[in-house]
């Protein structure tokens, strides 16, 4: 019994730590996103100008490329999601879960067949 409780607490602590890490990455990513946007907007305007050429054009293109790369990385960080077990109540009839109240695809594994009954 105690081993099960310890294992359960350990799993919960690991999940909590993972959630804290993802939360930190999300906060940092949001803090990075705004400056990247503030850098990218004027660079895009400069890149549209016809009088930008030569070494300046190369530098502007390099900044644009790196801004886009940062946007992609930030979006990847922000798309992280932690799969959490969802507690879904079983549908019940008269306080008991029966074969008739479960979706058909669950009945083969969720409800053992009655003695003498065929599937």
């Amino acid at each position: 019994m105690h081993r099960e409780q310890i294992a359960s607490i350990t799993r919960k602590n690991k999940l909590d730590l993972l959630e804290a890490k993802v939360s930190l990455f999300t906060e940092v990513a949001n803090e990075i996103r705004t400056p990247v946007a503030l850098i990218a907007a004027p660079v895009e305007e400069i890149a549209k100008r016809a009088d930008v050429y030569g070494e300046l054009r190369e530098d502007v293109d390099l900044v644009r490329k790196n801004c886009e790369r940062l946007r992609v990385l930030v979006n990847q960080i922000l798309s992280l999601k932690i799969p959490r077990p969802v507690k879904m109540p079983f549908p019940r009839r008269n306080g008991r879960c029966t074969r008739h109240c479960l979706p058909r695809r669950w009945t083969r594994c969720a409800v053992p067949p009655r003695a003498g009954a065929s599937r």
Side-chain angles (χ1 to χ4, degrees):
M1 172 105 174
H2 294 292
R3 287 182 183 173
E4 292 172 2
Q5 288 175 335
I6 291 171
S8 174
I9 290 169
T10 302
R11 280 191 302 275
K12 183 183 181 319
N13 287 343
K14 286 181 180 180
L15 188 58
D16 289 344
L17 180 61
L18 181 61
E19 285 178 344
K21 287 178 181 180
V22 170
S23 177
L24 175 67
F25 279 121
T26 301
E27 289 177 28
V28 169
N30 276 317
E31 291 298 319
I32 292 170
R33 177 183 259 179
T34 301
V36 169
L38 293 173
I39 293 167
V43 169
E44 291 296 326
E45 292 301 316
I46 294 169
K48 290 177 186 176
R49 293 176 38 183
D51 62 340
V52 176
Y53 52 89
E55 194 174 306
L56 181 58
R57 169 63 64 190
E58 290 174 14
D59 290 344
V60 168
D61 288 341
L62 181 64
V63 173
R64 287 174 69 194
K65 179 181 172 184
N66 285 304
C67 282
E68 184 57 31
R69 178 71 180 135
L70 283 171
R71 279 190 210 139
V72 168
L73 292 172
V74 166
N75 288 337
Q76 287 175 349
I77 291 170
L78 292 174
S79 69
L80 289 175
K81 296 200 186 315
I82 299 175
R84 224 194 211 299
V86 178
K87 291 184 180 181
M88 294 179 58
F90 280 107
R92 298 175 180 269
R93 284 193 182 153
N94 300 327
R96 295 189 61 199
C97 185
T98 66
R99 175 181 293 253
H100 304 291
C101 66
L102 292 173
R104 176 168 274 155
R105 67 181 181 275
W106 292 0
T107 57
R108 294 189 70 191
C109 61
V111 179
R114 285 183 252 149
S118 64
R119 284 191 180 201

